[in-house]
């Protein structure tokens, strides 16, 4: 019975005594031991009331247990819905309601906040703890360590990942077995990942990058991972001598370059550094090459498409570009107004087609139709050009999106919270350059005539509703927002005006007027 992800990424290593996870405390978990735990989680699913095709949402800390739960869902045919640990209870409530998840897994610390939400959504609520003491860990302990494999077609869903949208409403991207398995194999081949590779894994595992790109390529090759709970420069420098590869967002690389301890003793044995999820400045690429002799391999992707393009492993890795389409992925560059192809060298919207492209947005047929064309091309919303050698360069975004340290923030979501506060006429939320996060969030708030918004109150509303990474790092109160002749707010002019707010000497005063 087929189950593409299980068959291609898990089955080959089920009984292998080779190492899979090197934990921070020195513990080494073999493939065999890990997959026994996976089977225990798979066997726990019926007791949670879940059957193949049902959704399970999880907002839990990164650990070997979390990864085993993810893969247990794959084995049992459950659709996994991972959630950023920074999301507030009200953000999680939306995902639970929208997805119709039948089970919600959280940490012990969040259980009391989640109880009323899970009850309202009629979802089973259990906890998962890295130390194995949560109620779901204990339920898994009681299960057999071999399990049946659920029959899943290539187009059946494996995961539901929510991405925010320009309307402020998050959309669940439906990812199939075919999407994830094909991308893992393509990247494994392209980046020459082998069973001998040891990946330094410091990314979160609730997003495409840490979960699918990093973990699934390692599984595709039968390699192992040094599995760190989060990115910490000292831990990275201490453990890199044992690794051969690392995948990270640009902030990882700028922080490493700033670290005195990042020396040849540390990176000497590494063979590959991959960057993605946000633009890597050509300057960072060059500085990294000067310091280490390594050329960071930059690739490009999206939650909806997994990875679409990559710089070559063997050929020239060109700074400021994201390389070529992956094998099996087609791209075209079109005019945003007419939808017609643009000539090489001209700027247009990138469209992508291939087994990597998702099946659509959960319960949003209209939105799906707007972004996924009848001929299978997905409109990414990223503005790109292609040079004469075929290298794709991301030159901007057609969508109103801020990327901070690899996390996406759709301004509309923040604006909706601020617009509802007393004294606020309207708000424009923009991204401005930031040395550490690449971009950071600034809110430009127009006061209602004769009233003065209370910035502390704005901040309170934001803290209550939105995850920390979405919070404006600066509020600027103005009389009116700039508009063009059509009445559209001119965010470009705000970005020019406030673009240097995070110049070092200005960054301290949060509430600029
Ligand atoms: C943490 N904070 C952030 C933040 N991460 N704020 C803005 N942007 C971020 N990315 C908050 C913290 O809560 C903290 O708040 C403060 O900022 C500084 O904390 P920190 O300790 O310095 O943060 P740190 O834990 O180091 O996190 C930074 C980071 C992390 C870059 C290591 O954000 C990270 O791992 N990012 C990776 C994101 C990722 O995997 N993206 C892939 C998406 S998939 P306070 O209160 O202390 O000020 C995708 C598709 C594709 O995009 O192509 O890959
Ligand atoms: P997400 O919705 O979190 O999957 O983020 C996807 C977005 O991240 C893309 O649409 C791009 O805007 C951006 N992105 C990913 N990789 C890169 C990259 N290498 N360079 C520039 N932007 C990138």
């Amino acid at each position: 019975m087929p189950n593409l992800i299980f068959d291609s990424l898990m089955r080959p290593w089920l009984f292998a005594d080779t190492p899979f996870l090197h934990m921070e405390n020195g513990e080494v978990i073999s493939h065999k031991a890990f997959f026994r735990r996976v089977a225990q989680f798979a066997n726990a699913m019926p007791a949670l009331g879940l059957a193949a095709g049902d959704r399970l949402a999880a907002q839990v800390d990164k650990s070997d247990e979390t990864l085993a739960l993810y893969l247990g869902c794959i084995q049992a045919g459950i659709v996994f819905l991972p959630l950023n640990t920074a999301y507030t209870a009200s953000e999680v409530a939306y995902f639970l309601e929208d997805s119709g998840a039948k089970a919600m897994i959280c940490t012990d610390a969040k259980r009391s906040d989640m109880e009323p939400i899970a009850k309202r959504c009629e979802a089973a609520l259990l906890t998962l703890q890295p130390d194995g003491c949560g109620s779901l860990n204990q339920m898994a302990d009681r299960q057999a360590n071999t399990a049946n494999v659920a029959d899943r077609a290539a187009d059946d869903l494996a995961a539901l990942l929510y991405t925010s949208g320009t309307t402020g409403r998050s959309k669940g991207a439906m990812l199939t077995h075919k999407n994830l398995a094909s991308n893992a194999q393509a990247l494994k081949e392209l980046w020459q990942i082998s069973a001998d590779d040891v990946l330094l894994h410091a990314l979160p595992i609730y997003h495409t990058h840490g979960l699918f790109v990093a973990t699934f390529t390692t599984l595709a090759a039968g390699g192992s991972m040094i599995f760190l709970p989060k990115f910490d420069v000292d831990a990275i420098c201490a453990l890199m001598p044992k690794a051969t590869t690392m995948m990270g967002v640009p902030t990882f690389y700028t922080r490493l370059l700033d670290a005195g301890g990042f020396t040849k003793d540390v990176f000497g044995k590494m063979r590959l550094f991959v960057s993605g999820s946000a633009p890597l400045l050509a300057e960072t690429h060059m500085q990294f090459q000067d310091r280490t002799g390594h050329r960071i391999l930059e690739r490009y992707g999206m939650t909806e498409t997994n990875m679409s393009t990559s710089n070559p492993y063997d050929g020239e890795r060109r700074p400021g570009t994201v390389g070529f389409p992956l094998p099996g992925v087609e791209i075209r560059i079109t005019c945003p107004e007419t939808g017609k192809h643009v000539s090489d060298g001209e700027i247009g919207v990138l469209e992508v087609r291939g087994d990597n492209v998702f099946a659509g947005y959960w319960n949003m047929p209209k939105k799906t139709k707007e972004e996924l064309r009848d001929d299978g091309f997905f409109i990414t919303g990223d503005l790109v050009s292609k040079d004469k050698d075929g290298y794709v360069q991301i030159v901007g975004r057609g969508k109103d999106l801020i990327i901070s340290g690899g996390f996406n923030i759709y301004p509309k979501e923040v604006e909706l919270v601020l617009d509802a506060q007393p004294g606020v006429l309207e708000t424009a939320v923009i991204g401005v350059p930031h040395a550490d996060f690449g971009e950071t969030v600034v809110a430009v708030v127009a006061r209602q005539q004769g009233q003065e918004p209370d910035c502390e109150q704005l901040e309170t509303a934001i803290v209550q509703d939105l995850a920390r990474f979405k919070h404006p790092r600066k509020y600027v109160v103005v009389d009116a927002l700039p508009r063009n002749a059509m009445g559209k707010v001119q965010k470009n002019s705000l970005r020019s005006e406030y673009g240097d707010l995070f110049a070092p000497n200005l960054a301290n005063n949060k509430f600029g007027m």
Side-chain angles (χ1 to χ4, degrees):
M1 294 210 290
N3 178 316
L4 198 51
I5 295 180
F6 186 89
D7 293 342
S8 58
L9 306 182
M10 298 161 65
R11 195 188 293 282
W13 329 112
L14 280 190
F15 304 107
D17 278 318
T18 41
F20 176 48
L21 297 177
H22 308 267
M23 305 305 289
E24 213 178 9
N25 63 6
E27 186 191 358
V28 181
I29 301 173
S30 69
H31 284 97
K32 184 162 101 184
F34 179 75
F35 285 115
R36 284 184 175 159
R37 189 62 177 156
V38 168
Q40 289 185 301
F41 279 110
N43 283 330
M45 294 299 143
L48 290 178
L50 297 171
D54 287 338
R55 276 81 53 214
L56 173 146
Q59 189 188 34
V60 289
D61 296 321
K62 181 179 174 185
S63 71
D64 52 316
E65 287 285 276
T66 307
L67 197 57
L69 169 64
Y70 280 17
L71 295 173
C73 286
I74 297 286
Q75 183 159 357
I78 309 301
V79 180
F80 196 79
L81 194 176
L83 294 168
N84 192 320
T85 46
Y87 288 150
T88 61
S90 63
E91 288 170 306
V92 173
Y94 169 80
F95 301 124
L96 214 53
E97 272 160 25
D98 189 69
S99 66
K102 281 198 179 164
M104 168 72 202
I105 315 301
C106 66
T107 55
D108 283 340
K110 290 204 169 144
R111 195 189 153 90
S112 56
D113 285 351
M114 284 305 137
E115 247 162 18
I117 299 167
K119 196 165 174 208
R120 196 170 68 235
C121 298
E122 297 179 12
L125 180 67
L126 284 100
T127 63
L128 191 83
Q129 292 288 117
D131 64 5
C133 290
S135 55
L136 180 59
N137 312 90
Q138 288 167 359
M139 188 186 269
D141 291 344
R142 297 192 289 273
Q143 310 297 322
N145 62 16
T146 57
N148 290 334
V149 182
D151 193 7
R152 298 268 82 194
D155 288 330
D156 279 340
L157 300 194
L160 191 60
L161 260 63
Y162 275 82
T163 73
S164 303
T166 43
T167 59
R169 207 176 148 217
S170 289
K171 303 165 287 183
M174 299 191 285
L175 295 159
T176 66
H177 276 252
K178 184 175 70 189
N179 296 153
L180 303 179
S182 68
N183 214 233
Q185 294 295 351
L187 295 173
K188 180 201 101 171
E189 299 293 328
L190 197 68
W191 297 343
Q192 301 184 15
I193 299 174
S194 77
D196 295 332
D197 273 316
V198 182
L199 172 78
L200 195 45
H201 192 309
L203 287 158
I205 51 171
Y206 41 71
H207 279 316
T208 296
H209 198 163
L211 186 55
F212 305 135
V213 185
T215 307
F216 279 14
T217 52
T218 302
L219 277 171
S224 65
M225 304 189 276
I226 300 173
F227 208 57
L228 299 175
K230 65 180 291 238
F231 181 82
D232 173 90
V233 169
D234 293 337
I236 294 283
C237 290
L239 291 164
M240 195 176 281
K242 296 182 174 155
T244 61
T245 58
M246 187 177 88
M247 297 182 193
V249 296
T251 302
F252 283 22
Y253 294 105
T254 50
R255 286 190 185 178
L256 280 172
L257 284 169
D258 284 344
F262 186 57
T263 60
K264 193 154 182 46
D265 305 340
V266 168
F267 53 73
K269 292 203 192 97
M270 289 287 287
R271 75 165 182 91
L272 177 65
F273 293 92
V274 177
S275 177
S277 310
L280 180 78
L281 296 179
E283 190 189 323
T284 308
H285 181 109
M286 307 306 270
Q287 282 174 3
F288 201 84
Q289 182 169 0
D290 286 348
R291 171 89 74 94
T292 65
H294 284 278
R295 291 164 306 142
I296 298 173
L297 187 157
E298 187 171 7
R299 63 30 169 207
Y300 158 85
M302 261 183 102
T303 302
E304 289 91 333
T305 62
N306 297 285
M307 297 306 101
S308 293
T309 74
S310 169
N311 268 281
Y313 185 77
D314 284 325
E316 184 196 350
R317 299 180 196 163
R318 202 168 278 186
T321 80
V322 292
F324 311 109
L326 301 186
V329 176
E330 288 171 82
I331 63 165
R332 68 184 182 202
I333 304 172
T334 57
C335 167
E337 279 82 39
T338 63
K340 294 210 172 100
H341 287 241
V342 302
S343 314
D344 277 1
E346 283 182 26
I347 294 172
V349 176
L350 181 70
E351 300 189 13
V352 178
R353 179 165 74 180
D355 285 351
N356 58 320
V357 173
F358 76 144
Y361 295 113
W362 179 257
N363 277 344
M364 288 188 180
K366 195 162 157 263
K367 195 81 206 155
T368 302
K369 213 163 169 44
E370 278 166 28
E371 298 187 17
L372 194 54
R373 293 186 191 278
D374 290 343
D375 63 3
F377 273 94
F378 173 70
I379 307 166
T380 64
D382 287 308
L383 298 175
V384 307
S385 67
K386 196 162 71 168
D387 71 17
K388 61 177 179 14
D389 300 321
Y391 284 83
V392 174
Q393 187 176 12
I394 314 276
V395 295
R397 295 176 202 136
K399 51 200 173 191
D400 194 12
L401 165 69
I402 301 166
I403 304 184
S404 166
F407 286 141
N408 288 7
I409 301 133
Y410 275 89
K412 191 77 192 167
E413 198 182 355
V414 185
E415 289 163 1
L416 286 172
V417 176
L418 295 174
D419 288 352
Q421 301 311 309
V424 176
L425 177 64
E426 58 178 351
T427 318
V429 166
I430 53 169
V432 300
H434 187 274
D436 187 31
F437 289 134
E439 277 184 294
T440 197
V441 183
V442 168
V444 185
V445 180
R447 52 172 74 84
Q448 264 175 5
Q449 211 178 5
Q451 292 189 45
E452 197 56 40
D454 176 350
C455 287
E456 302 284 355
Q457 197 176 337
L458 299 184
E459 173 90 339
T460 306
I462 288 285
V463 168
Q464 180 170 324
D465 284 3
L466 301 178
R468 173 74 182 120
F469 68 89
K470 299 177 188 171
H471 297 184
R473 299 297 162 124
K474 191 121 184 155
Y475 296 85
V476 184
V477 180
V478 297
D479 284 334
L481 298 178
R483 289 180 182 280
N484 66 10
M486 313 288 289
K488 191 170 184 285
V489 173
Q490 294 299 88
K491 286 202 171 177
N492 275 342
S493 109
L494 291 173
R495 279 188 280 266
S496 319
E497 190 167 354
Y498 301 111
D500 60 359
L501 272 181
F502 283 83
N505 54 345
L506 290 175
N508 299 328
N509 172 18
K510 185 172 206 174
F511 301 123
M513 301 287 160

